Amino acid sequence: MCLLVDKYRPTSLDQLTYHHDLSHLLKITAHSGSFPHMLMYGPSGAGKKTRIFCVLKELFGEGVEKIKIDQRTFVTSSNRKLDANIASSIYHLEVTPSDVGNYDRIVIQELIKDVAQTQQVDLNAKQRFKVIIINEADALGRDAQAALRRTMEKYAKNIRIIFCCNVTSRIIAPIRSRCLLVRVAAPTIEESTQVLRQIATNEKIKISDDVLIRIAGKSEGNLRNAILTFETMIMQQANISKTSEVPSPDWKDHIENIAKSIIKTQSSANIMEIRLVFYELINHCIPAPIILKTLTFALFKHVHDDIKMQITAQASFYDHRLRTGQKVIIHLEAFVIKVMHLILSNNQKS
C-alpha cells in the first residue's frame, strides 16, 4: 500500500495539473537539442522534484524510472570517511551534498569527476549526456559552489546539472548566470483543492468542497502536505462532515506550545524544557530553519505589534547563524532567550 501523495504523483509534463505555461516551457527546453544547466527553485511542496523527474522522462524516456539507491563512501584529505546516499539510473543521479555538512565540496567534486569521465552507455538514448540533480542546493557551502562554478563549463559535454532549492539568494551569482532559472510557484488554494477533489473522486471518497478548501488553506501552498493531511483525515475519521476539524501536524502543535510557554514564563527552567522539545523536533527530522520560522510566526499571534519587528530582526539573525553554524540547538535556544528578554523589557516599560 502506497501513500496517495506517491500514488498520484504525475509522471509526465502532460499530467501536471497547474502551471501549464511552465510545463510547456520545460517540454520545449527538453526537446530543444541544447538542454542547459537548470536551477529550479520555489517553496516546499510546490512540485519542483516532480517537474524535474518529468523533464528527465522527456529527455531520456521510461528508463529514468528504474532507480536504485546506493550508499557511497567519500574520503577526505584527513582520511575521514563520509557516507552519502545516491539515487541513480543509467541516465542520471540524485544527491543531497548538504547531508555531509562542511564536506559537501568533496562529494560534489568526486561525483562530477566520476560522472564526467564516463559517457552515456545507452547508445539508443535521446541525449548523450548524464544529469546530476543536486537537492537543497541553497544549503551548499561557498567552497562547494565555487568548485561547481569551474566544473559546470569544463564538463558541459558529458553532464548537465539541475539544482533544486527553495531560494536563490544563497546561490552564488556565477552559478545562477550559468543556469536557466525556473521558478515553481506554490499552487493556489483553488489549484490545490482541484487536485484533492480529483483524488477524492478517483478513490470514491465522499467529502465536501468546504473541507477540501480548508485543507488546502491550512497547507499554505504546500500540496504535498495538503494530500498527506487529506489522507490522515480519511484514516482517522470514518465520516467526514463539513464541520470536521482539519488536523495540524504534531510538530506544529509542539512549536505552538513553545510559543505560548515563552509568552507565559521567562525563566531558565522554561528554557531547559524548551530545549528538550527542540531536541525531539530535530531528532524527528524537522529542519532547524523550519522550526525557527514556524516559531516566529507562532509568537506573532501572542505579542504586541511594537516588538514584532524586533522578533523578526532576531529571527533573521539566527536564521543566518543556523546556515553558517554547526550546533543548531545553540542558535535555536539563543533565539528563545532573546525573545524572552524582549518580552521582559517590554513588560517593564508598560
Side-chain angles (χ1 to χ4, degrees):
M1 179 181 177
C2 65
L3 297 173
L4 294 179
V5 70
D6 296 321
K7 182 178 179 180
Y8 290 99
R9 185 188 299 273
T11 57
S12 69
L13 292 172
D14 294 329
Q15 293 179 7
L16 294 168
T17 56
Y18 57 94
H19 302 334
H20 296 292
D21 292 342
L22 176 58
S23 300
H24 181 65
L25 173 63
L26 291 173
K27 181 176 284 191
I28 292 174
T29 304
H31 294 285
S32 64
S34 57
F35 189 77
H37 300 297
M38 189 176 292
L39 173 57
M40 195 167 291
Y41 66 100
S44 298
K48 300 185 294 297
K49 288 186 180 179
T50 299
R51 278 167 171 75
I52 289 173
F53 177 81
C54 293
V55 169
L56 290 178
K57 198 168 181 180
E58 287 288 334
L59 285 170
F60 302 109
E62 302 287 341
V64 295
E65 295 180 345
K66 300 175 182 179
I67 296 174
K68 63 177 182 178
I69 300 177
D70 298 322
Q71 187 178 69
R72 287 190 54 179
T73 301
F74 302 88
V75 182
T76 68
S77 57
S78 59
N79 291 326
R80 179 173 180 176
K81 293 184 178 180
L82 309 170
D83 294 326
N85 293 323
I86 298 174
S88 63
S89 69
I90 62 173
Y91 304 108
H92 82 289
L93 60 85
E94 181 179 352
V95 65
T96 307
S98 58
D99 288 345
V100 298
N102 290 337
Y103 297 99
D104 51 4
R105 176 179 59 84
I106 296 171
V107 175
I108 288 291
Q109 288 179 329
E110 291 294 328
L111 278 179
I112 291 180
K113 186 189 299 183
D114 292 347
V115 176
Q117 290 176 351
T118 59
Q119 293 186 345
Q120 184 61 260
V121 295
D122 187 358
L123 298 179
N124 296 320
K126 301 176 184 178
Q127 305 292 343
R128 304 309 304 161
F129 55 80
K130 285 188 175 182
V131 174
I132 299 176
I133 302 171
I134 299 179
N135 294 321
E136 299 180 12
D138 46 356
L140 288 174
R142 287 281 177 174
D143 291 340
Q145 293 190 44
L148 280 169
R149 170 188 177 182
R150 293 189 294 271
T151 55
M152 286 173 67
E153 292 180 347
K154 183 177 180 181
Y155 300 114
K157 182 179 179 180
N158 290 342
I159 64 171
R160 296 292 188 276
I161 300 177
I162 299 180
F163 298 93
C164 182
C165 61
N166 291 341
V167 294
T168 60
S169 58
R170 300 187 183 96
I171 306 294
I172 61 176
I175 288 183
R176 294 201 304 267
S177 66
R178 288 165 171 78
C179 296
L180 171 66
L181 270 64
V182 179
R183 179 176 179 267
V184 182
T188 63
I189 292 178
E190 291 77 12
E191 290 168 338
S192 296
T193 304
Q194 180 183 353
V195 173
L196 295 174
R197 187 184 298 114
Q198 185 62 46
I199 293 174
T201 301
N202 293 343
E203 294 292 319
K204 298 180 180 179
I205 298 170
K206 294 183 179 180
I207 186 170
S208 68
D209 283 352
D210 291 340
V211 177
L212 295 179
I213 291 171
R214 285 196 285 122
I215 294 174
K218 202 162 188 176
S219 68
E220 298 177 346
N222 190 322
L223 183 57
R224 179 174 58 249
N225 281 355
I227 298 174
L228 290 172
T229 302
F230 171 71
E231 187 167 11
T232 300
M233 291 186 67
I234 296 171
M235 298 293 289
Q236 293 180 347
Q237 304 179 34
N239 297 314
I240 303 176
S241 63
K242 291 184 178 181
T243 58
S244 296
E245 183 180 354
V246 178
S248 297
D250 291 342
W251 64 271
K252 283 192 175 182
D253 292 336
H254 287 310
I255 294 177
E256 182 68 34
N257 291 334
I258 290 174
K260 294 177 181 177
S261 176
I262 292 172
I263 301 300
K264 183 179 179 180
T265 308
Q266 298 84 41
S267 66
S268 57
N270 191 28
I271 293 171
M272 295 300 294
E273 293 177 3
I274 291 172
R275 173 190 284 184
L276 295 176
V277 180
F278 281 152
Y279 272 125
E280 284 294 321
L281 293 171
I282 293 169
N283 288 336
H284 284 79
C285 301
I286 307 299
I290 298 297
I291 296 174
L292 179 63
K293 177 183 176 182
T294 308
L295 178 57
T296 301
F297 284 106
L299 286 167
F300 285 170
K301 301 176 185 177
H302 307 286
V303 298
H304 299 296
D305 292 339
D306 51 354
I307 65 170
K308 285 184 179 180
M309 288 297 295
Q310 294 172 293
I311 292 176
T312 303
Q314 293 297 331
S316 300
F317 177 79
Y318 286 103
D319 180 68
H320 175 70
R321 285 289 183 90
L322 287 173
R323 309 286 180 177
T324 56
Q326 291 294 314
K327 297 287 186 178
V328 296
I329 189 69
I330 295 175
H331 307 302
L332 290 173
E333 194 175 70
F335 171 72
V336 170
I337 294 171
K338 285 287 187 179
V339 171
M340 285 185 176
H341 175 71
L342 290 172
I343 294 171
L344 284 172
S345 300
N346 186 71
N347 291 340
Q348 289 173 359
K349 289 179 182 179
S350 58

